[in-house]
Amino acid sequence: MGKISDILQQLNTLPSGYISKKKIHGDIYYYFQYSENGKQYSKYIPRKDLLSYQSKISLRNKLKEELKAILNSGKAQPLLTKNARNLNGNVMMQNIVVASFDNGILTYLDEKRAPLSIIRNKDIKSFLSSRTIDDTRRNSRILKKLLMINVTDDNLLSLYAHGAVITDNYWFKTKGSRLNYEDIIFEQDIYHEVALDGILEIITSKPRVTPQITLGGSYEKCWRKIKNEWWIYKKGNTNELFSEMFSSRLAFYLNIPTVQYELIDNNIRCKNFATKYNFEPLSALIGENYNYETVFNALIKIKRSIAKQYLLLSWFDALVFNFDRHNDNCGLLRDKKTGEIVSLAPNFDNNLSLIAYNQNLKTENKDDAFLKNYIKFIKNNKTAKELFSEITLPKLSKEIIDKCLVDLVCPIDVNLLTNYLLNRYYHLTSFLK
């Protein structure tokens, strides 16, 4: 539970009012003054209860001040000026101009450091639109109402957060603005409970800039800052949470670069993995076509090592039946200053793998189309086959599977899960022999 909810819960248990005193026949009497349903009431306070009332009222006033400070923290939400609405301004990499637009038309481009989608299609609208909360999420609509945002264009929606996201240092600086990156960078956020759970207890007349408005994805989720580190929280059902946890652990034990997840309050969370580098999804590089051939051919042009990382990640997807890998949950890490593409991003977003949609694990591996498609791709693509043969595949064993299950409640029979994975592993390590 968040700090704001904790304070509100405490406030609900504390008396709302003040203490007055009257002198009657030389003696002092104390009364608790409060209002209820629009009427004023006065309640006598016995002397034995006076200290308790004073302490509770003092605590309530202290908590109200603390709540007020939290609600007024952070930077004010920007107003959309005429230049902002007309998309006049610069795309910035921190405080460096990497692209300029006049009425949405590209006038300058730094082809080494600009965002990949702008380099690819020279368009500002698609770049900004890719950095917005998914409108199909119920809580996204609640959040926008709370923030008093009424635009319908996604590219304009992102400008309520300066087009900035947590996972990179790009943003949009409107023409005429004197802001620097330090002025717009996200601070502690007060809207995470709204974004994750739809909690409407946060009411402020001065909306604040929030990273929630530029957090994509179809599941209810939020960013939350804990001890100066950003964490992403995501909801899911029992099978989805198990699949995410188990798959990330399995990737870790198989030495496949991966994001580590934790279960907390019936949700799942992980730290922001893009602190040293900028993360850009593959969709920024190649659009929405996520078939093996298209992605591999694009990555091999960048670096053989990155293409090899993709082959291993796809191999792992086939192992855990992660059929939901697409170009927005797979991406690249770029140097925050030079724009150099350094590596493939670590494995993340496995919540639809394993038992999320294949709950009984009854699919015969030899007839599994997902498994067969990956093997077919490797066999038929000469370069992919060459690179795959250079990979020393990790070794999977029952002992590793058991390690992944420690402290996890498995919703299905453990032996069934173990045999399923070991059989898939056999097919994925023997098809080139």
Side-chain angles (χ1 to χ4, degrees):
M1 186 170 290
K3 182 68 172 176
I4 292 175
S5 285
D6 290 341
I7 292 175
L8 290 171
Q9 281 198 0
Q10 289 185 72
L11 288 174
N12 287 334
T13 66
L14 296 171
S16 175
Y18 64 95
I19 297 173
S20 66
K21 60 182 179 179
K22 294 181 181 180
K23 190 174 183 179
I24 304 174
H25 304 303
D27 292 325
I28 302 296
Y29 295 87
Y30 295 91
Y31 297 86
F32 178 57
Q33 308 291 340
Y34 66 101
S35 62
E36 192 172 287
N37 297 323
K39 294 183 179 181
Q40 298 295 320
Y41 295 91
S42 181
K43 178 182 179 182
Y44 170 67
I45 303 174
R47 287 187 179 275
K48 64 182 180 63
D49 296 332
L50 179 60
L51 183 59
S52 175
Y53 268 87
Q54 289 173 332
S55 297
K56 289 178 180 178
I57 291 172
S58 175
L59 177 58
R60 181 179 179 84
N61 291 334
K62 181 181 177 181
L63 289 172
K64 285 174 66 178
E65 287 300 314
E66 187 176 348
L67 180 61
K68 182 179 178 181
I70 293 173
L71 293 176
N72 289 329
S73 65
K75 301 174 177 69
Q77 182 177 279
L79 297 174
L80 294 196
T81 64
K82 183 177 180 180
N83 276 326
R85 291 179 178 275
N86 291 334
L87 300 177
N88 290 322
N90 300 317
V91 174
M92 312 292 293
M93 174 190 267
Q94 201 159 337
N95 288 316
I96 299 172
V97 177
V98 294
S100 299
F101 291 87
D102 184 3
N103 289 321
I105 305 300
L106 181 69
T107 59
Y108 166 75
L109 178 65
D110 182 335
E111 295 202 1
K112 289 185 178 180
R113 293 184 287 194
L116 294 174
S117 69
I118 294 179
I119 295 173
R120 177 171 64 92
N121 58 33
K122 313 298 187 291
D123 179 44
I124 182 62
K125 287 186 177 181
S126 59
F127 168 70
L128 292 175
S129 295
S130 70
R131 301 160 79 81
T132 57
I133 193 169
D134 190 333
D135 194 50
T136 63
R137 282 156 49 187
R138 180 184 68 93
N139 295 343
S140 76
R141 300 189 290 276
I142 295 174
L143 181 63
K144 283 187 282 188
K145 287 182 180 179
L146 194 61
L147 292 169
M148 293 176 273
I149 295 174
N150 57 11
V151 299
T152 56
D153 292 339
D154 281 346
N155 58 85
L156 295 182
L157 172 60
S158 71
L159 293 183
Y160 281 94
H162 303 282
V165 299
I166 293 290
T167 51
D168 65 46
N169 63 358
Y170 294 118
W171 61 289
F172 187 77
K173 184 173 183 177
T174 304
K175 184 178 180 180
S177 171
R178 296 183 179 180
L179 295 174
N180 291 316
Y181 186 64
E182 294 71 25
D183 300 317
I184 66 98
I185 190 68
F186 299 112
E187 297 174 342
Q188 186 70 39
D189 186 71
I190 66 173
Y191 298 104
H192 57 271
E193 290 173 297
V194 182
L196 185 65
D197 296 310
I199 294 175
L200 281 172
E201 294 170 325
I202 306 167
I203 305 295
T204 171
S205 60
K206 296 179 180 179
R208 302 289 160 178
V209 171
T210 171
Q212 316 305 346
I213 210 68
T214 54
L215 176 58
S218 59
Y219 278 71
E220 303 291 6
K221 62 181 70 172
C222 74
W223 283 110
R224 187 174 176 189
K225 199 172 189 180
I226 304 172
K227 295 181 179 179
N228 290 322
E229 292 183 308
W230 285 104
W231 291 73
I232 191 167
Y233 285 64
K234 185 165 68 171
K235 304 193 83 64
N237 62 39
T238 299
N239 288 347
E240 291 166 347
L241 296 182
F242 171 82
S243 297
E244 186 83 86
M245 284 293 299
F246 182 91
S247 295
S248 70
R249 288 183 178 185
L250 184 59
F252 172 79
Y253 285 118
L254 296 181
N255 292 317
I256 294 171
T258 190
V259 170
Q260 291 295 297
Y261 288 88
E262 300 176 5
L263 285 171
I264 182 167
D265 296 332
N266 296 316
N267 299 308
I268 202 159
R269 74 174 186 177
C270 67
K271 285 183 183 178
N272 172 30
F273 62 81
T275 54
K276 296 181 180 179
Y277 301 100
N278 282 339
F279 167 75
E280 292 201 63
L282 288 181
S283 58
L285 179 70
I286 55 177
E288 300 305 320
N289 191 337
Y290 51 82
N291 71 68
Y292 294 126
E293 201 81 28
T294 300
V295 177
F296 178 78
N297 289 341
L299 295 180
I300 196 70
K301 292 177 182 177
I302 299 172
K303 284 182 182 179
R304 284 174 64 88
S305 61
I306 293 177
K308 189 182 290 188
Q309 290 169 346
Y310 172 71
L311 292 180
L312 185 57
L313 176 62
S314 301
W315 177 89
F316 179 76
D317 286 341
L319 176 65
V320 297
F321 194 64
N322 184 21
F323 65 89
D324 190 49
R325 183 71 63 195
H326 51 78
N327 290 350
D328 285 317
N329 63 9
C330 182
L332 300 163
L333 298 181
R334 299 179 69 190
D335 188 280
K336 282 179 175 279
K337 294 182 179 179
T338 67
E340 178 191 357
I341 296 175
V342 177
S343 70
L344 196 71
N347 167 56
F348 70 96
D349 201 8
N350 301 282
N351 62 314
L352 295 183
S353 63
L354 287 174
I355 61 171
Y357 281 99
N358 190 18
Q359 297 176 13
N360 297 318
L361 301 182
K362 289 184 177 179
T363 302
E364 292 291 335
N365 290 322
K366 63 181 180 179
D367 298 322
D368 187 328
F370 184 54
L371 197 68
K372 290 166 70 174
N373 284 343
Y374 177 74
I375 292 173
K376 181 180 178 181
F377 157 65
I378 298 295
K379 284 184 174 181
N380 292 347
N381 186 301
K382 183 179 179 181
T383 307
K385 184 177 180 180
E386 176 188 332
L387 283 186
F388 185 83
S389 65
E390 296 174 6
I391 298 174
T392 301
L393 293 173
K395 294 182 179 180
L396 178 64
S397 64
K398 182 181 182 301
E399 289 70 29
I400 288 178
I401 295 172
D402 289 341
K403 281 185 179 181
C404 297
L405 289 167
V406 173
D407 297 327
L408 281 185
V409 177
C410 184
I412 64 166
D413 181 78
V414 170
N415 289 329
L416 178 64
L417 175 66
T418 300
N419 291 333
Y420 178 81
L421 287 170
L422 290 176
N423 285 334
R424 294 180 78 82
Y425 177 77
Y426 170 78
H427 284 283
L428 286 165
T429 54
S430 61
F431 67 88
L432 286 182
K433 292 179 181 179

